[in-house]
Amino acid sequence: MNALADILARRIAATGPITLADYMAECLLHPQFGYYATRDPLGAAGDFTTAPEISQMFGEMLGLFLAQVWMDQGRPAPFTLAEPGPGRGTLMADILRATRKVPGFHESARVHLIEVSPPLREVQRARLAGHDATWLDDIAALPDAPLFLVANEFFDALAIRQFRRAATGWHETQVALVDDRLSLALSQPAPIAALDHRLDDAVPGDVVELCPAAAPIIREIATRVVTRGGVALVVDYGGWRSRGDTFQAVRAHRSEDPLANPGAADLTAHVDFEALVRATRDIGVASSPLTPQGVFLERLGITARAQALAGNMRGAQLNDHIAAHRRLTHGDEMGTLFKTLALVPSDAPHPPGFVP
Ligand code: SAH
């Protein structure tokens, strides 16, 4: 058993089974043995690859998106340019490069990165050398200023609770000890107020998930967007009112049993975009239609950009570039599984890439 498995087993032996959210949060965030505390998980030598690591075109499209919204809203200055979960800093670096020639954008932007991982903060610092940036532990510490924010593969990293519909109420998925091994178990059924709206569409046996950490974060973001202006663009895998067991572990680019190596595998779940929108309902923010990543990137002009870049390429480099374009946009790759959602003030012009 690894050190974190041992800590969790002793805790469960002493106080009983824990929720999946407790398990996931310990595995990802434990200060000594947690996944994000101990490593840089991205890239070919790591556990998973993200869109900005696949091609510079992803960050370029998002940069142009932000610049267009900023111009459409009258070029507010100064403004906060923010990213929660910036990974290796590649997306922010590409956004800054793509917006370099937008008059006034860099002069007005105050870059803020929200990051829990000490090793990734170091990678980000090196990647963004030459730019002023501020690192925050918590989204609530963002300045009270117009907010232009992108979150790519951030919400999927937040801990989820998982439930199975019973005849009355819900069983909760727990991590228990069976023969001294961590094992999944189900609680006795109980009513769960936060799932009352799912009683309409879930039948006994169906699995649904809740991400309690997401609501306060999206509310902090939406409040700034509504009161001060700006936009939040969320990109992630998931859907509208997700259903089914999406809790997964990935290590060295392969999926594995999420209980097998606590703290050593990336744990994620699909993002329920309806839940994000529901959490902001009383704030008065306008939400875009949920749009597949491939459609969104095509509308922003990724194919024209891909062709322009291809003009200077030959051989293996050209093949890789064509594969990267396909990977970001094609329905069999990231194009459909990944979704995009934008939040803007209700009186703001419609953001590019989304059809009203
Ligand atoms: N957006 C990047 C990286 C995605 S990986 C990209 O597209 O490449 C998830 C990122 O979220 C990592 O930077 C991780 O350290 C960070 N993260 C995970 N949980 C977090 C939390 N609770 N608060 C802030 N950052 C978090």
Side-chain angles (χ1 to χ4, degrees):
M1 237 193 237
N2 75 30
L4 186 54
D6 201 40
I7 291 169
L8 292 168
R10 276 187 274 135
R11 174 173 159 195
I12 294 166
T15 58
I18 60 176
T19 65
L20 214 51
D22 283 342
Y23 175 77
M24 200 171 161
E26 289 288 359
C27 290
L28 294 177
L29 303 176
H30 187 282
Q32 201 181 350
F33 302 114
Y35 183 72
Y36 283 118
T38 51
R39 70 199 75 214
D40 168 3
L42 286 137
D47 293 312
F48 60 94
T49 304
T50 57
E53 305 295 335
I54 291 170
S55 167
Q56 68 183 69
M57 295 186 292
F58 183 77
E60 290 171 351
M61 292 302 117
L62 268 52
L64 296 179
F65 169 89
L66 291 172
Q68 184 66 54
V69 176
W70 180 71
M71 292 188 285
D72 288 347
Q73 293 189 17
R75 302 169 192 262
F79 72 91
T80 307
L81 177 59
E83 186 185 359
R88 286 192 169 158
T90 306
L91 175 55
M92 186 54 78
D94 287 339
I95 287 172
L96 288 168
R97 187 173 44 75
T99 53
R100 212 171 31 197
K101 295 197 177 133
V102 178
F105 191 84
H106 278 207
E107 293 76 359
S108 313
R110 307 286 178 267
V111 176
H112 285 75
L113 304 166
I114 301 97
E115 177 57 84
V116 282
S117 162
L120 284 177
R121 276 193 187 202
E122 286 317 307
V123 179
Q124 293 154 18
R125 221 180 284 281
R127 193 68 218 273
L128 294 169
H131 294 283
D132 270 338
T134 303
W135 276 263
L136 304 173
D137 294 327
D138 188 345
I139 207 109
L142 279 173
D144 182 20
L147 176 62
F148 290 73
L149 175 143
V150 294
N152 184 58
E153 290 208 39
F154 168 71
F155 283 97
D156 67 63
L158 302 179
I160 55 140
R161 295 174 70 183
Q162 191 188 72
F163 301 89
R164 186 177 299 269
R165 175 84 198 268
T168 56
W170 303 86
H171 300 280
E172 180 158 14
T173 307
Q174 298 177 318
V175 179
L177 268 187
V178 177
D179 298 332
D180 290 335
R181 289 174 64 91
L182 298 176
S183 310
L184 292 180
L186 289 177
S187 73
Q188 291 302 312
I192 301 288
L195 289 177
D196 280 352
H197 67 294
R198 301 304 306 266
L199 292 170
D200 298 338
D201 69 304
V203 299
D206 280 352
V207 170
V208 302
E209 294 168 343
L210 275 182
C211 182
I217 292 174
I218 198 74
R219 289 177 63 83
E220 286 285 347
I221 294 168
T223 301
R224 284 171 181 74
V225 167
V226 163
T227 57
R228 305 302 306 269
V231 63
L233 180 70
V234 180
V235 185
D236 224 311
Y237 42 88
W240 191 260
R241 188 169 284 211
S242 312
R243 183 197 297 259
D245 173 12
T246 73
F247 180 52
Q248 62 173 7
V250 170
R251 196 156 65 105
H253 300 269
R254 292 158 76 140
S255 75
E256 66 171 33
D257 172 3
L259 302 190
N261 294 293
D266 185 38
L267 301 182
T268 66
H270 284 202
V271 173
D272 181 349
F273 286 89
E274 184 196 33
L276 295 182
V277 171
R278 283 174 71 92
T280 61
R281 247 184 339 197
D282 59 324
I283 296 176
V285 78
S287 54
S288 71
L290 189 64
T291 301
Q293 170 173 302
V295 173
F296 176 72
L297 293 175
E298 289 295 353
R299 286 184 184 146
L300 292 175
I302 194 170
T303 296
R305 178 63 181 144
Q307 283 165 343
L309 287 169
N312 304 321
M313 295 179 185
R314 299 279 177 278
Q317 190 193 18
L318 180 59
N319 287 340
D320 288 350
H321 172 63
I322 291 168
H325 174 254
R326 182 186 150 90
R327 216 168 144 193
L328 292 179
T329 57
H330 198 280
D332 293 341
E333 308 239 8
M334 298 169 81
T336 304
L337 174 63
F338 281 70
K339 311 291 193 303
T340 57
L341 176 82
L343 303 178
V344 287
S346 46
D347 57 354
H350 210 76
F354 296 97
V355 169

